[in-house]
Every structure is written in C-alpha cells, then in structure tokens.
C-alpha cells in the first residue's frame, strides 16, 4: 500500500537526517527511488491502474476535549472531581465535552499529515455525529485536508442504535460485564498505578479511601463503580490536560507518565464498552455502516475515502465486533485516544485494518498532527488482512441486525447544501 510505503520512508528519512553515515544516506536514496517508482507506476494520488476500486474508510474519535466537573463513580455521595483532590482542578476554559483549542489544532494538523502521508483516495466524504465536538472535529479535519470545512454530513444514524432496539436487562448487562472482566482481568500493575495516582491527587480526608472501593457492577446505575471507575475518570482528565497543552496533574505528573498510567482508563473502557454481548446492539450501527461503506460507489469512479467522525465507543464497538487487537508503541493495547482512528482499506476483494493515533501530544506545530500506524490484528487470523466477504460475514454475525442503522453515503461527489448553524461561528486557525 503506497500510504504505508510513504510513512515508512518518512520515518526512515528522519533517521537518515540524524545520521551522517554513508549507509544511511544510501538507504534514504533507495527509499526515495522506491517511492518515486511506485508513484510512476500509477499508485499515487488516490488512483489505481489495476482496474480495482480503492476504498478507504476511517472511523475517527473526536478532538481532545474538556471533561465535566462531575461523573466520578467511586465513593457514594462523592461524584465531583474536586471531592478527590487537595488542589482545585484547573478549568478547561470551554463548556463540558467541547473541543479544546489545542485539540482543534491537533486535528487540523492531522488533516495536513493525512494529506501528505496517507494516500487517501478521492473524493473524501465525511459524516459526523450530531454533537458539537464531532462537527468541530469534522471541520478541523477537512480544513487540514485543504477541503471545504463545511462539506460534510451530520447524522446520528451510524453512531446510535436503531429506533426500537431493546436494551439488555440489568441481569444480562451484569453477566456480560462479569464475563468481560473474566476475559480481560485487571492487570497486576494497577496497584502500583493507583498508588501513583494517590500521590498526585493528595485526596482530602473525605476521599482518603477512594483507592479501597474495589470494582463492582451497580445494577441500578448500570455502571462499573469503585476505585477502577475513579481511576479511569482521573486518567482521562489528565490525558485531556496533556492533549490540551495544560499543566498535568498540578505539575505532579509528566507527559511521559501518561501512556503507562493510561492503562487504568483503557482497561475500564475495554470492560464497559467493548463487551461483544453489549456491543452487538449498542455498536450495531457503526458495524453495519462501515460494512456498507466498504462496498464503495457505483459509477465510473468507484474510488472514495469515507470518514465517520464519532467517539471512542465506535472504536470499542468495532474492536468487539471483529475481535481486533492493536498495540501502539507507547500507549496501552486497544487504547482509543482522542483524534485516533481505525482505517479500513479495500480493493473490493481484501480489507486491511490499521489503527492510527497521534504520535505524541507534546509535539508542536505541524508535528502535533503526526500519526503512528499499527496493524489492527483480527481475532483468529493473526493478521490485519481479511477478505471483504469474510469481514462482512463477521460483522453480520457480531451484531443484532434489528439494532443497526445503515448510513448511506452519497453515490456522487456532490454534497447537500451545508447546514451547520451551530458551528458557523467557530474559528479554525489554518
């Protein structure tokens, strides 16, 4: 795949520039020659000379965003972040769940990176969930791609269960969560990680035992509660502080601490949001919509890039439906970072699946949009490549069809007139 070759060359040339050896310079020259040859053979600029279509589907999580000031399910009666820390939490400066300014800049830089390195087929079609942070993310991404920032559709269909889809009973949900905990046990390192969080929080007396609440399913709230929930919430906020360019944990955490400690949040999401049983209904729409999007377009120009801009729950749902495993170099397995995405590439016969994530939230300028790609390995295959027919069969088996909306992208390059009044006043610095 040309985009993977470009990415490999980009990384190799960075090493070449840091080395003065003759061998390094030769490797760099060979890489350039290989890339040029590939482009001359007709594989560049989103085109194909094989007669097969080139279809890319991206399922992206939105920007780095603010968190609400409450929502901690640890000690009963203590739900606010401020209940658990000696110091006041620094404000994000925007309403809850809105993109941070640096979060928007990261997404735009990601768009520029994708344009330079990802070899996306043209045209590009985008749909965003009908939530402000998703629409903001779509506009920032399109701006970075040098496309019309208003040329996207808004629909909740691929991100929500179909009308009439029945939810699981409290007992069914409890059984599914317990099965997920059995399948993915809490890592032994959590004791050490939670002790480190305790040092950072310096909790007041009322929350002194926040780290001794265990981890249990509450049938009434239908939420996993206790220390595991508190630790997940705290780590998500520290991650957003890092991505927002803020001081992390009152200066008691460094950016280099976050990838390791983020296991507390990633594990929690794997339990809560990646249960194959629960996502068979809750994640049915994104699975059926991706399956349909991979069929491409009819007509003379079947090539297309289709982008879904949603949430980490979509990544977790696809993870569960296909039994995917991705291993970012410094971040936890199956993490769902802000601005990250699952990428599906198909020629109409086979599909290759990858996970792309921001390389380092500490980067500045264009480098803040740099992405790292790793294979998303499919359960039972030990590879990230599968036939399109088999992928669609797996999707069909994994989901409850009565719960899945199928979002249909336009069959032409044209978009409906943009109507996004709630984002018209957003300022995106290009």
């Amino acid at each position: 795949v040309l985009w993977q070759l470009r990415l490999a060359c980009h990384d190799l040339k960075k090493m070449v520039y840091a080395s003065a050896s003759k061998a390094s310079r030769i490797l760099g020259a060979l890489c350039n020659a290989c890339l040029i040859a590939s482009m001359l053979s007709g594989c560049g600029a989103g085109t194909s000379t094989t007669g097969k279509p080139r279809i890319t589907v991206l399922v992206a999580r939105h920007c780095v965003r603010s968190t609400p000031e409450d929502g901690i399910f640890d000690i009963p009666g203590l739900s606010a972040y401020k209940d658990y820390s000696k110091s006041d939490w620094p404000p994000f400066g925007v309403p809850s769940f809105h993109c941070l300014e640096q979060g928007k800049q990261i997404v735009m830089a990601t768009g520029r990176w994708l344009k330079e390195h990802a070899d996306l087929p043209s045209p590009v079609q985008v749909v965003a969930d009908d939530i402000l942070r998703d629409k903001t993310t779509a506009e920032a991404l399109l701006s970075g791609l040098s496309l019309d920032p208003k040329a996207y559709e808004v629909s909740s269909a691929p991100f929500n269960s179909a009308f009439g889809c029945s939810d699981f009973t409290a007992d069914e949900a409890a059984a599914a969560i317990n099965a997920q905990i059995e399948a993915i046990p809490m890592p032994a390192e959590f004791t050490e990680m939670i002790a480190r969080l305790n040092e950072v929080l310096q909790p007041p007396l009322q929350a002194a035992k926040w780290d001794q609440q265990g981890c249990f399913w509450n049938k009434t709230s239908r939420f996993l509660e206790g220390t595991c929930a508190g630790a997940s919430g705290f780590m998500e906020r520290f991650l957003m502080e890092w991505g927002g360019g803020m001081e992390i944990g009152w200066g008691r955490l460094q950016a280099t601490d976050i990838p390791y400690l983020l296991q507390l949040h990633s594990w929690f999401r794997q339990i809560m949001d990646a249960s194959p049983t629960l996502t068979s209904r809750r994640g049915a729409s994104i699975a059926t919509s991706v399956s349909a999007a991979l069929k491409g377009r009819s007509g003379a120009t079947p090539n297309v890039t289709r982008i879904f801009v949603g949430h980490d729950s979509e990544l977790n749902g696809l993870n569960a439906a296909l039994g995917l495993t991705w291993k970012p170099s410094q971040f936890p397995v199956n993490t769902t970072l802000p601005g990250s995405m699952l990428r599906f590439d198909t020629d109409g016969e086979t599909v290759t699946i990858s996970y792309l994530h921001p390389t380092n939230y500490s980067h500045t300028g264009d480098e803040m949009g740099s992405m790292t790609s790793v294979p998303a390995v499919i359960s039972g295959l030990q590879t990230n490549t599968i036939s399109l027919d088999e992928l669609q069969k797996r999707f069909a088996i994994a989901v409850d069809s009565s719960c899945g909306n199928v979002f249909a992208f336009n069959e032409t390059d044209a978009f409906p007139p943009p109507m996004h009044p709630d984002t018209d006043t957003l300022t995106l610095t290009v």
Side-chain angles (χ1 to χ4, degrees):
V1 178
L2 183 60
W3 79 272
Q4 293 171 318
L5 177 60
R6 282 177 170 164
L7 184 56
C9 283
H10 174 71
D11 293 339
L12 178 57
K13 284 189 283 186
K14 285 198 294 187
M15 291 187 289
V16 167
Y17 296 149
S19 172
S21 72
K22 183 176 180 180
S24 292
R25 292 195 297 272
I26 291 172
L27 279 174
L30 286 173
C31 186
N32 279 330
C34 179
L35 183 56
I36 290 169
S38 296
M39 294 177 69
L40 290 176
S41 69
C43 296
T47 62
S48 172
T49 59
T50 64
K52 297 179 180 180
R54 286 195 56 226
I55 302 156
T56 293
V57 174
L58 302 178
V59 182
R61 186 186 178 188
H62 55 69
C63 58
V64 173
R65 57 153 175 82
S66 60
T67 66
E69 295 303 324
D70 59 7
I72 300 298
F73 293 87
D74 191 333
I75 297 175
L78 301 181
S79 63
Y81 281 89
K82 66 181 181 180
D83 294 333
Y84 292 87
S85 62
K86 172 185 176 181
S87 306
D88 291 335
W89 291 76
F92 286 107
V94 298
S96 297
F97 298 112
H98 281 49
C99 291
L100 303 185
E101 181 57 35
Q102 182 161 298
K104 290 186 283 186
Q105 301 305 320
I106 291 172
V107 174
M108 277 189 285
T110 295
R112 294 192 288 271
W113 186 92
L114 290 171
K115 181 181 178 182
E116 177 70 21
H117 302 289
D119 192 42
L120 298 178
S122 295
V124 174
Q125 298 180 314
V126 179
V127 60
D129 193 5
D130 194 12
I131 296 176
L132 184 57
R133 62 182 177 275
D134 301 307
K135 292 180 277 191
T136 301
T137 299
E139 296 187 14
L141 187 64
L142 285 164
S143 294
L145 288 165
S146 299
L147 298 172
D148 179 358
K150 295 293 185 180
Y152 66 99
E153 298 183 72
V154 176
S155 175
S156 61
F159 309 103
N160 290 282
S161 299
F163 179 76
C165 175
S166 60
D167 200 0
F168 293 94
T169 67
D171 287 338
E172 289 171 336
I177 292 296
N178 288 331
Q180 190 74 343
I181 292 175
E182 185 175 339
I184 310 174
M186 184 182 292
E189 302 93 324
F190 271 27
T191 300
E192 173 188 312
M193 294 177 186
I194 289 171
R196 179 71 181 97
L197 271 190
N198 203 47
E199 294 173 354
V200 175
L201 293 168
Q202 298 180 5
L205 183 61
Q206 64 179 3
K209 295 185 178 180
W210 78 271
D211 57 345
Q212 301 171 38
Q213 303 301 306
C215 190
F216 60 93
W217 178 254
N218 185 324
K219 288 187 178 181
T220 301
S221 67
R222 294 195 172 209
F223 205 79
L224 197 60
E225 298 185 2
T227 299
C228 60
S232 172
F234 302 141
M235 279 313 306
E236 181 178 46
R237 183 154 183 163
F238 292 141
L239 172 64
M240 298 305 178
E241 288 181 348
W242 181 25
M246 301 166 63
E247 181 180 55
I248 309 170
W250 307 278
R252 295 191 280 270
L253 277 176
Q254 302 301 313
T256 51
D257 296 324
I258 301 300
Y260 174 65
L261 294 174
L262 196 60
Q263 292 181 68
L264 293 165
H265 180 60
S266 293
W267 178 83
F268 186 84
R269 288 206 59 84
Q270 281 290 105
I271 302 303
M272 280 288 295
D273 297 281
S275 158
T277 298
L278 301 182
T279 59
S280 67
R281 297 181 188 175
R282 298 172 184 175
S285 292
I286 190 62
T288 53
S289 294
V290 167
S291 183
L294 286 167
K295 295 177 183 177
R297 306 189 308 161
S298 59
T301 56
N303 299 344
V304 68
T305 293
R306 288 169 163 167
I307 305 176
F308 295 87
V309 180
H311 311 269
D312 43 7
S313 54
E314 276 72 60
L315 302 181
N316 289 131
L318 293 169
N319 164 219
L322 298 174
L324 299 176
T325 301
W326 54 86
K327 299 180 179 180
S329 56
Q330 62 171 326
F331 293 102
V333 172
N334 290 346
T335 190
T336 53
L337 297 168
S340 67
M341 57 192 71
L342 279 170
R343 174 171 178 156
F344 298 78
D345 289 289
T346 185
D347 60 2
E349 296 179 3
T350 61
V351 182
T352 301
I353 312 173
S354 307
Y355 176 71
L356 283 74
H357 67 87
T359 302
N360 191 329
Y361 291 110
S362 294
H363 284 163
T364 59
D366 276 349
E367 275 298 299
M368 72 169 55
S370 174
M371 301 286 274
T372 296
S373 174
V374 296
V377 177
I378 304 158
S379 175
L381 299 183
Q382 307 308 312
T383 179
N384 67 328
T385 300
I386 187 173
S387 74
L388 178 57
D389 284 345
E390 179 61 25
L391 181 78
Q392 292 176 329
K393 287 177 183 177
R394 289 192 177 212
F395 273 141
I397 292 170
V399 304
D400 182 335
S401 59
S402 68
C403 291
N405 295 309
V406 180
F407 178 80
F409 282 95
N410 295 325
E411 285 294 306
T412 67
D413 296 351
F415 287 88
M419 296 182 66
H420 317 302
D422 52 353
T423 58
D424 282 347
T425 58
L426 291 173
T427 301
L428 299 176
T429 304
V430 180

